[in-house]
Amino acid sequence: MKKQITIQTENGFQVLDLEISFDNDNMDEASVMTIKTNYQGKEIIASGNHYPWTDAYANLQKQLPENVKLICCVACRYGNGCPVGDGPDELFCTKDVSVSCKSDLFFYTEDDNERQKRSKGYTDYCNDFQPQTSDFFTYNDYRFYLDD
């Protein structure tokens, strides 16, 4: 599967091409996700083995230079998972509501209209991006794996 992801460098924003693969054609049975990309002529191979694979994106971030940051929904403070079960490559944008615990997400992830309005992919990006921080509740594991 091919995707693109936005990064921020000292010189502004840039888009990286990603090649994403799994160790099993049936995603429900996959146990490893691999992301391949190139940055400044260097091949980067990141992997994750924790469904729904936020750890693969954290591993990608760790392999980029320190001054280069992923700017996408999986790394955003507003990119929350579903409290009743996450799907791969799906987060819910809560930039316009206050979320302080996972139960605050039930309405936004279980109401069909809200799901449709808020559903985003891990590599999606918008101008409201804010990085995850320890003092702002975000219900996804990206920061946990980043600090791991």
Side-chain angles (χ1 to χ4, degrees), residues 106-147:
F106 283 118
F107 173 72
Y108 305 107
T109 60
E110 298 310 302
D111 179 83
D112 288 340
N113 290 332
E114 290 292 325
R115 281 183 73 88
Q116 186 175 14
K117 177 173 88 172
R118 297 177 184 283
S119 182
K120 305 294 179 201
Y122 284 4
T123 61
D124 289 348
Y125 159 78
C126 79
N127 289 331
D128 294 313
F129 173 85
Q130 293 292 317
Q132 291 182 20
T133 60
S134 61
D135 61 340
F136 191 94
F137 179 82
T138 304
Y139 188 65
N140 93 39
D141 291 334
Y142 173 80
R143 188 168 158 71
F144 169 79
Y145 291 118
L146 193 59
D147 293 341

Short mmCIF file of all heavy atoms in Angstrom, two decimals, residues 106-147:
data_model
loop_
_atom_site.label_atom_id
_atom_site.label_comp_id
_atom_site.label_asym_id
_atom_site.label_seq_id
_atom_site.Cartn_x
_atom_site.Cartn_y
_atom_site.Cartn_z
N PHE A 106 -16.84 8.56 23.56
CA PHE A 106 -17.91 7.65 23.14
C PHE A 106 -18.85 8.27 22.12
O PHE A 106 -19.11 7.68 21.07
CB PHE A 106 -18.70 7.11 24.33
CG PHE A 106 -17.97 6.04 25.09
CD1 PHE A 106 -17.61 6.23 26.41
CD2 PHE A 106 -17.61 4.85 24.48
CE1 PHE A 106 -16.93 5.26 27.11
CE2 PHE A 106 -16.93 3.86 25.17
CZ PHE A 106 -16.58 4.07 26.48
N PHE A 107 -19.39 9.44 22.38
CA PHE A 107 -20.33 10.06 21.45
C PHE A 107 -19.68 10.28 20.09
O PHE A 107 -20.29 10.01 19.04
CB PHE A 107 -20.87 11.37 22.00
CG PHE A 107 -21.72 12.12 21.01
CD1 PHE A 107 -22.99 11.66 20.68
CD2 PHE A 107 -21.24 13.26 20.40
CE1 PHE A 107 -23.77 12.35 19.75
CE2 PHE A 107 -22.01 13.95 19.47
CZ PHE A 107 -23.28 13.49 19.14
N TYR A 108 -18.45 10.77 20.08
CA TYR A 108 -17.79 11.15 18.83
C TYR A 108 -17.33 9.96 18.00
O TYR A 108 -17.09 10.09 16.81
CB TYR A 108 -16.61 12.07 19.13
CG TYR A 108 -17.05 13.27 19.93
CD1 TYR A 108 -16.74 13.39 21.28
CD2 TYR A 108 -17.83 14.25 19.35
CE1 TYR A 108 -17.17 14.47 22.02
CE2 TYR A 108 -18.27 15.34 20.09
CZ TYR A 108 -17.95 15.44 21.41
OH TYR A 108 -18.39 16.50 22.14
N THR A 109 -17.23 8.80 18.63
CA THR A 109 -16.80 7.61 17.90
C THR A 109 -17.92 6.60 17.67
O THR A 109 -17.77 5.69 16.86
CB THR A 109 -15.64 6.90 18.63
OG1 THR A 109 -16.07 6.51 19.93
CG2 THR A 109 -14.43 7.80 18.73
N GLU A 110 -19.05 6.76 18.37
CA GLU A 110 -20.14 5.79 18.25
C GLU A 110 -21.35 6.33 17.50
O GLU A 110 -22.16 5.56 17.00
CB GLU A 110 -20.55 5.28 19.64
CG GLU A 110 -19.43 4.56 20.36
CD GLU A 110 -18.77 3.49 19.50
OE1 GLU A 110 -19.45 2.56 19.03
OE2 GLU A 110 -17.54 3.59 19.28
N ASP A 111 -21.52 7.62 17.42
CA ASP A 111 -22.58 8.22 16.63
C ASP A 111 -22.18 8.20 15.16
O ASP A 111 -21.09 8.69 14.81
CB ASP A 111 -22.83 9.67 17.11
CG ASP A 111 -23.91 10.35 16.30
OD1 ASP A 111 -25.09 10.16 16.61
OD2 ASP A 111 -23.54 11.08 15.34
N ASP A 112 -23.02 7.64 14.29
CA ASP A 112 -22.64 7.48 12.87
C ASP A 112 -22.27 8.80 12.20
O ASP A 112 -21.30 8.87 11.44
CB ASP A 112 -23.77 6.81 12.09
CG ASP A 112 -23.90 5.33 12.42
OD1 ASP A 112 -22.92 4.74 12.93
OD2 ASP A 112 -24.99 4.76 12.17
N ASN A 113 -23.03 9.86 12.45
CA ASN A 113 -22.72 11.16 11.84
C ASN A 113 -21.38 11.71 12.34
O ASN A 113 -20.60 12.27 11.57
CB ASN A 113 -23.84 12.17 12.10
CG ASN A 113 -25.10 11.84 11.34
OD1 ASN A 113 -25.04 11.23 10.27
ND2 ASN A 113 -26.25 12.21 11.89
N GLU A 114 -21.14 11.59 13.64
CA GLU A 114 -19.87 12.07 14.21
C GLU A 114 -18.70 11.25 13.68
O GLU A 114 -17.65 11.79 13.35
CB GLU A 114 -19.91 12.02 15.74
CG GLU A 114 -20.82 13.04 16.36
CD GLU A 114 -20.34 14.47 16.18
OE1 GLU A 114 -19.12 14.72 16.19
OE2 GLU A 114 -21.20 15.36 16.02
N ARG A 115 -18.86 9.92 13.61
CA ARG A 115 -17.79 9.06 13.06
C ARG A 115 -17.43 9.48 11.65
O ARG A 115 -16.26 9.62 11.31
CB ARG A 115 -18.22 7.59 13.05
CG ARG A 115 -18.14 6.88 14.35
CD ARG A 115 -18.50 5.41 14.20
NE ARG A 115 -17.46 4.66 13.53
CZ ARG A 115 -16.42 4.09 14.14
NH1 ARG A 115 -16.29 4.20 15.44
NH2 ARG A 115 -15.53 3.42 13.45
N GLN A 116 -18.45 9.68 10.85
CA GLN A 116 -18.21 10.05 9.45
C GLN A 116 -17.50 11.40 9.36
O GLN A 116 -16.58 11.57 8.57
CB GLN A 116 -19.53 10.08 8.69
CG GLN A 116 -19.37 10.32 7.22
CD GLN A 116 -20.68 10.21 6.48
OE1 GLN A 116 -21.77 10.21 7.06
NE2 GLN A 116 -20.59 10.13 5.17
N LYS A 117 -17.90 12.34 10.17
CA LYS A 117 -17.32 13.68 10.15
C LYS A 117 -15.88 13.69 10.67
O LYS A 117 -15.04 14.43 10.19
CB LYS A 117 -18.18 14.61 11.02
CG LYS A 117 -17.67 16.02 11.15
CD LYS A 117 -18.68 16.90 11.89
CE LYS A 117 -18.47 16.86 13.37
NZ LYS A 117 -19.29 17.83 14.10
N ARG A 118 -15.58 12.85 11.65
CA ARG A 118 -14.29 12.91 12.36
C ARG A 118 -13.27 11.86 11.93
O ARG A 118 -12.11 11.97 12.28
CB ARG A 118 -14.54 12.78 13.85
CG ARG A 118 -15.36 13.92 14.40
CD ARG A 118 -15.67 13.74 15.87
NE ARG A 118 -16.54 14.81 16.33
CZ ARG A 118 -16.15 16.04 16.61
NH1 ARG A 118 -14.89 16.37 16.48
NH2 ARG A 118 -17.00 16.95 17.02
N SER A 119 -13.69 10.85 11.20
CA SER A 119 -12.79 9.75 10.85
C SER A 119 -11.64 10.24 9.96
O SER A 119 -11.86 10.91 8.94
CB SER A 119 -13.56 8.65 10.13
OG SER A 119 -12.70 7.57 9.83
N LYS A 120 -10.42 9.92 10.37
CA LYS A 120 -9.20 10.32 9.65
C LYS A 120 -8.25 9.13 9.58
O LYS A 120 -8.28 8.24 10.41
CB LYS A 120 -8.48 11.47 10.38
CG LYS A 120 -9.34 12.69 10.65
CD LYS A 120 -9.75 13.37 9.37
CE LYS A 120 -10.62 14.59 9.68
NZ LYS A 120 -11.42 14.99 8.56
N GLY A 121 -7.36 9.16 8.60
CA GLY A 121 -6.29 8.18 8.50
C GLY A 121 -5.06 8.66 9.25
O GLY A 121 -4.90 9.86 9.51
N TYR A 122 -4.19 7.75 9.61
CA TYR A 122 -2.98 8.10 10.38
C TYR A 122 -2.14 9.17 9.69
O TYR A 122 -1.56 10.02 10.34
CB TYR A 122 -2.10 6.87 10.58
CG TYR A 122 -2.57 5.89 11.62
CD1 TYR A 122 -3.77 6.01 12.30
CD2 TYR A 122 -1.77 4.80 11.93
CE1 TYR A 122 -4.17 5.09 13.24
CE2 TYR A 122 -2.16 3.87 12.88
CZ TYR A 122 -3.36 4.02 13.53
OH TYR A 122 -3.75 3.11 14.46
N THR A 123 -2.04 9.13 8.37
CA THR A 123 -1.15 10.05 7.66
C THR A 123 -1.86 11.32 7.19
O THR A 123 -1.22 12.17 6.57
CB THR A 123 -0.48 9.36 6.46
OG1 THR A 123 -1.49 8.93 5.54
CG2 THR A 123 0.37 8.19 6.90
N ASP A 124 -3.14 11.47 7.50
CA ASP A 124 -3.85 12.70 7.14
C ASP A 124 -3.22 13.88 7.89
O ASP A 124 -2.60 13.72 8.94
CB ASP A 124 -5.34 12.60 7.48
CG ASP A 124 -6.09 11.66 6.56
OD1 ASP A 124 -5.53 11.26 5.52
OD2 ASP A 124 -7.24 11.31 6.89
N TYR A 125 -3.45 15.06 7.36
CA TYR A 125 -2.85 16.28 7.92
C TYR A 125 -3.78 17.45 7.68
O TYR A 125 -4.44 17.54 6.64
CB TYR A 125 -1.50 16.53 7.24
CG TYR A 125 -1.03 17.95 7.33
CD1 TYR A 125 -0.46 18.42 8.51
CD2 TYR A 125 -1.15 18.83 6.27
CE1 TYR A 125 -0.03 19.74 8.62
CE2 TYR A 125 -0.72 20.15 6.36
CZ TYR A 125 -0.17 20.59 7.54
OH TYR A 125 0.25 21.88 7.65
N CYS A 126 -3.85 18.36 8.65
CA CYS A 126 -4.57 19.62 8.46
C CYS A 126 -3.80 20.73 9.18
O CYS A 126 -2.87 20.47 9.95
CB CYS A 126 -6.01 19.53 8.95
SG CYS A 126 -6.24 19.69 10.73
N ASN A 127 -4.22 21.96 8.95
CA ASN A 127 -3.52 23.10 9.53
C ASN A 127 -3.72 23.24 11.04
O ASN A 127 -3.07 24.07 11.67
CB ASN A 127 -3.94 24.40 8.82
CG ASN A 127 -3.40 24.48 7.42
OD1 ASN A 127 -2.35 23.93 7.12
ND2 ASN A 127 -4.13 25.13 6.54
N ASP A 128 -4.62 22.46 11.63
CA ASP A 128 -4.85 22.50 13.08
C ASP A 128 -3.94 21.55 13.84
O ASP A 128 -4.08 21.40 15.06
CB ASP A 128 -6.32 22.18 13.39
CG ASP A 128 -7.25 23.25 12.86
OD1 ASP A 128 -6.97 24.44 13.07
OD2 ASP A 128 -8.27 22.88 12.23
N PHE A 129 -3.01 20.91 13.15
CA PHE A 129 -2.10 19.96 13.80
C PHE A 129 -1.42 20.59 15.02
O PHE A 129 -0.93 21.71 14.95
CB PHE A 129 -1.02 19.48 12.83
CG PHE A 129 0.03 18.64 13.50
CD1 PHE A 129 -0.16 17.28 13.68
CD2 PHE A 129 1.20 19.21 13.99
CE1 PHE A 129 0.80 16.50 14.32
CE2 PHE A 129 2.16 18.45 14.64
CZ PHE A 129 1.95 17.09 14.80
N GLN A 130 -1.42 19.82 16.10
CA GLN A 130 -0.66 20.16 17.31
C GLN A 130 0.01 18.88 17.78
O GLN A 130 -0.64 17.84 17.86
CB GLN A 130 -1.57 20.69 18.42
CG GLN A 130 -2.21 22.03 18.12
CD GLN A 130 -1.18 23.14 18.08
OE1 GLN A 130 -0.28 23.21 18.93
NE2 GLN A 130 -1.29 24.01 17.09
N PRO A 131 1.28 18.91 18.12
CA PRO A 131 1.94 17.68 18.57
C PRO A 131 1.38 17.20 19.90
O PRO A 131 0.89 17.99 20.71
CB PRO A 131 3.41 18.10 18.72
CG PRO A 131 3.39 19.58 18.85
CD PRO A 131 2.17 20.07 18.14
N GLN A 132 1.44 15.91 20.10
CA GLN A 132 1.02 15.34 21.38
C GLN A 132 2.01 15.76 22.46
O GLN A 132 3.21 15.85 22.22
CB GLN A 132 0.99 13.82 21.30
CG GLN A 132 -0.10 13.29 20.41
CD GLN A 132 -0.14 11.78 20.39
OE1 GLN A 132 0.38 11.11 21.28
NE2 GLN A 132 -0.77 11.23 19.36
N THR A 133 1.49 16.02 23.65
CA THR A 133 2.31 16.36 24.80
C THR A 133 1.79 15.61 26.01
O THR A 133 0.64 15.15 26.03
CB THR A 133 2.27 17.88 25.10
OG1 THR A 133 0.92 18.26 25.37
CG2 THR A 133 2.84 18.69 23.95
N SER A 134 2.62 15.50 27.03
CA SER A 134 2.23 14.75 28.23
C SER A 134 1.14 15.46 29.03
O SER A 134 0.44 14.82 29.81
CB SER A 134 3.45 14.50 29.12
OG SER A 134 4.01 15.72 29.52
N ASP A 135 0.96 16.75 28.84
CA ASP A 135 -0.05 17.48 29.61
C ASP A 135 -1.38 17.64 28.88
O ASP A 135 -2.25 18.38 29.33
CB ASP A 135 0.48 18.84 30.04
CG ASP A 135 0.85 19.74 28.87
OD1 ASP A 135 1.06 19.23 27.76
OD2 ASP A 135 0.94 20.96 29.07
N PHE A 136 -1.57 16.95 27.75
CA PHE A 136 -2.81 17.00 26.99
C PHE A 136 -3.24 15.58 26.71
O PHE A 136 -2.50 14.80 26.12
CB PHE A 136 -2.59 17.77 25.68
CG PHE A 136 -3.85 18.11 24.94
CD1 PHE A 136 -4.46 19.34 25.13
CD2 PHE A 136 -4.44 17.19 24.09
CE1 PHE A 136 -5.63 19.65 24.46
CE2 PHE A 136 -5.61 17.49 23.42
CZ PHE A 136 -6.20 18.73 23.61
N PHE A 137 -4.45 15.20 27.12
CA PHE A 137 -4.92 13.82 26.95
C PHE A 137 -5.18 13.52 25.48
O PHE A 137 -5.94 14.23 24.81
CB PHE A 137 -6.21 13.58 27.75
CG PHE A 137 -6.75 12.19 27.58
CD1 PHE A 137 -6.21 11.15 28.32
CD2 PHE A 137 -7.75 11.92 26.67
CE1 PHE A 137 -6.69 9.86 28.17
CE2 PHE A 137 -8.24 10.64 26.50
CZ PHE A 137 -7.71 9.61 27.26
N THR A 138 -4.56 12.47 24.98
CA THR A 138 -4.81 11.95 23.64
C THR A 138 -4.93 10.45 23.76
O THR A 138 -4.04 9.79 24.32
CB THR A 138 -3.67 12.30 22.67
OG1 THR A 138 -3.49 13.73 22.64
CG2 THR A 138 -3.98 11.81 21.26
N TYR A 139 -6.02 9.91 23.25
CA TYR A 139 -6.26 8.47 23.35
C TYR A 139 -5.72 7.77 22.10
O TYR A 139 -6.45 7.38 21.21
CB TYR A 139 -7.74 8.19 23.56
CG TYR A 139 -8.03 6.75 23.88
CD1 TYR A 139 -7.56 6.17 25.05
CD2 TYR A 139 -8.77 5.96 23.01
CE1 TYR A 139 -7.80 4.85 25.34
CE2 TYR A 139 -9.02 4.63 23.29
CZ TYR A 139 -8.54 4.09 24.46
OH TYR A 139 -8.78 2.77 24.75
N ASN A 140 -4.41 7.69 22.01
CA ASN A 140 -3.73 6.82 21.05
C ASN A 140 -2.33 6.58 21.59
O ASN A 140 -1.83 7.34 22.41
CB ASN A 140 -3.81 7.36 19.61
CG ASN A 140 -2.69 8.23 19.12
OD1 ASN A 140 -1.51 8.00 19.42
ND2 ASN A 140 -3.03 9.25 18.35
N ASP A 141 -1.70 5.51 21.14
CA ASP A 141 -0.44 5.05 21.74
C ASP A 141 0.82 5.62 21.10
O ASP A 141 1.93 5.23 21.47
CB ASP A 141 -0.37 3.52 21.67
CG ASP A 141 -1.35 2.85 22.59
OD1 ASP A 141 -1.74 3.46 23.59
OD2 ASP A 141 -1.74 1.70 22.29
N TYR A 142 0.69 6.51 20.14
CA TYR A 142 1.87 7.02 19.42
C TYR A 142 2.92 7.57 20.40
O TYR A 142 4.08 7.19 20.35
CB TYR A 142 1.44 8.09 18.42
CG TYR A 142 2.59 8.79 17.76
CD1 TYR A 142 3.26 8.20 16.70
CD2 TYR A 142 3.02 10.05 18.17
CE1 TYR A 142 4.33 8.84 16.07
CE2 TYR A 142 4.07 10.69 17.55
CZ TYR A 142 4.72 10.08 16.51
OH TYR A 142 5.77 10.70 15.91
N ARG A 143 2.51 8.46 21.27
CA ARG A 143 3.45 9.08 22.22
C ARG A 143 4.07 8.03 23.16
O ARG A 143 5.25 8.10 23.48
CB ARG A 143 2.76 10.18 23.01
CG ARG A 143 3.71 10.97 23.85
CD ARG A 143 3.05 12.24 24.38
NE ARG A 143 3.73 12.72 25.56
CZ ARG A 143 4.92 13.29 25.56
NH1 ARG A 143 5.58 13.45 24.44
NH2 ARG A 143 5.47 13.70 26.67
N PHE A 144 3.29 7.06 23.58
CA PHE A 144 3.81 5.98 24.43
C PHE A 144 4.95 5.26 23.73
O PHE A 144 6.01 5.03 24.31
CB PHE A 144 2.67 5.00 24.77
CG PHE A 144 3.15 3.74 25.42
CD1 PHE A 144 3.48 3.70 26.77
CD2 PHE A 144 3.27 2.56 24.68
CE1 PHE A 144 3.93 2.54 27.37
CE2 PHE A 144 3.72 1.39 25.28
CZ PHE A 144 4.05 1.38 26.63
N TYR A 145 4.74 4.91 22.46
CA TYR A 145 5.79 4.19 21.71
C TYR A 145 6.95 5.12 21.34
O TYR A 145 8.08 4.67 21.22
CB TYR A 145 5.22 3.54 20.46
CG TYR A 145 4.31 2.38 20.78
CD1 TYR A 145 2.99 2.40 20.43
CD2 TYR A 145 4.80 1.27 21.46
CE1 TYR A 145 2.14 1.33 20.73
CE2 TYR A 145 3.96 0.21 21.78
CZ TYR A 145 2.65 0.26 21.42
OH TYR A 145 1.82 -0.80 21.72
N LEU A 146 6.67 6.38 21.18
CA LEU A 146 7.72 7.34 20.88
C LEU A 146 8.68 7.48 22.07
O LEU A 146 9.89 7.58 21.90
CB LEU A 146 7.11 8.70 20.54
CG LEU A 146 8.00 9.73 19.90
CD1 LEU A 146 8.58 9.23 18.58
CD2 LEU A 146 7.20 11.01 19.67
N ASP A 147 8.12 7.46 23.27
CA ASP A 147 8.92 7.59 24.49
C ASP A 147 9.53 6.27 24.94
O ASP A 147 10.36 6.24 25.84
CB ASP A 147 8.06 8.15 25.63
CG ASP A 147 7.65 9.58 25.37
OD1 ASP A 147 8.28 10.26 24.54
OD2 ASP A 147 6.66 10.03 25.98
#
